[in-house]
Amino acid sequence: MKNLIAFLFLLPVFNANAQVTDNGKLLFDAGIGLGIEHYQFTDLRTNAANPRDTSGSVQVPVTFEYGIKKWFGAGMVMNYAHYINNDSTTDKANGIDLIPSVFFHIPWGLQKLDLLAHFGYGYSHFAYRTFTINNPKYLAGGGVFTWGIKLRWLFSTDGHVGMQFWYSHAQYKYPNGTLSDDTGQNSYHLKLDGPGNNFGLGFFLRF
């Protein structure tokens, strides 16, 4: 009975030391997935907004995180998005996000499983090019707010390699993008904004 009482007393201590994340841990992950974006263009000359357009995309997120506490970390989320167009030979659209973020891990004391939420705000660049007469293009820079969740699983106890499933929501705002072409005679300023929902899988490394 005394041994059982001692074990139960020490169990929280054991769990406190059995955590995927920890102070000083460096976590790196990369993934691939799909996104559904709902963009809307607004002509800044007339403030006339086009109907919101829904498009799919291939998402490639990469994340670096430094563990400050067992349940908290800070780092950077980088994401590349390639948008799926009706005609990929004449239209190409992509975006790049750089997002400083904070990470909150559930401190449930498991050695191989990690569930976390992340929040961040950063910079996004969007480019849409049409390879037709005069090659019109739309370029814009703006802000992006994002949050998401990840479920990670280490392949071995106290290991360094695992896999993950992820979901993220992003809210984009490009307040003053430019639509122009190769002639240099046609140039318009357009606002672009909209939400996106993304999900996929990938791997992660822990050092």
Side-chain angles (χ1 to χ4, degrees):
M1 180 62 71
K2 291 182 178 180
N3 292 336
L4 177 60
I5 294 175
F7 173 78
L8 293 176
F9 179 79
L10 293 175
L11 185 59
V13 177
F14 295 151
N15 284 339
N17 294 325
Q19 180 81 16
V20 173
T21 57
D22 204 346
N23 183 19
K25 290 289 185 181
L26 181 62
L27 302 174
F28 164 84
D29 69 56
I32 188 168
L34 298 175
I36 301 175
E37 324 302 325
H38 305 281
Y39 284 137
Q40 183 176 51
F41 285 94
T42 302
D43 190 334
L44 293 179
R45 298 170 301 173
T46 61
N47 284 326
N50 290 341
R52 194 169 294 278
D53 179 58
T54 299
S55 61
S57 62
V58 177
Q59 303 280 327
V60 183
V62 176
T63 301
F64 295 91
E65 178 192 354
Y66 178 79
I68 299 174
K69 298 289 185 181
K70 291 181 181 296
W71 56 272
F72 176 73
M76 178 73 70
V77 175
M78 295 168 285
N79 185 63
Y80 172 78
H82 176 74
Y83 294 91
I84 302 170
N85 304 310
N86 293 332
D87 191 344
S88 60
T89 61
T90 60
D91 297 351
K92 293 188 182 299
N94 57 67
I96 297 177
D97 306 330
L98 300 173
I99 310 170
S101 302
V102 293
F103 305 84
F104 298 92
H105 302 258
I106 294 181
W108 50 14
L110 297 180
Q111 295 177 331
K112 296 173 62 176
L113 201 62
D114 179 34
L115 180 62
L116 67 98
H118 61 89
F119 302 84
Y121 182 82
Y123 174 79
S124 179
H125 177 78
F126 179 84
Y128 180 83
R129 294 177 173 86
T130 301
F131 302 99
T132 56
I133 298 175
N134 297 329
N135 298 319
K137 60 184 177 182
Y138 176 81
L139 302 175
V144 53
F145 169 76
T146 183
W147 63 267
I149 57 176
K150 296 181 180 182
L151 178 63
R152 291 167 166 169
W153 175 59
L154 280 173
F155 294 146
S156 61
T157 301
D158 201 28
H160 300 286
V161 181
M163 66 179 299
Q164 66 173 358
F165 300 92
W166 57 269
Y167 163 81
S168 67
H169 175 84
Q171 183 71 43
Y172 293 95
K173 287 190 176 181
Y174 306 98
N176 191 19
T178 302
L179 176 65
S180 61
D181 59 25
D182 289 348
T183 67
Q185 299 177 355
N186 300 308
S187 181
Y188 306 96
H189 291 282
L190 302 175
K191 179 177 71 172
L192 177 64
D193 63 78
N197 294 286
N198 317 299
F199 59 92
L201 52 80
F203 71 94
F204 82 97
L205 303 175
R206 184 183 72 162
F207 302 98

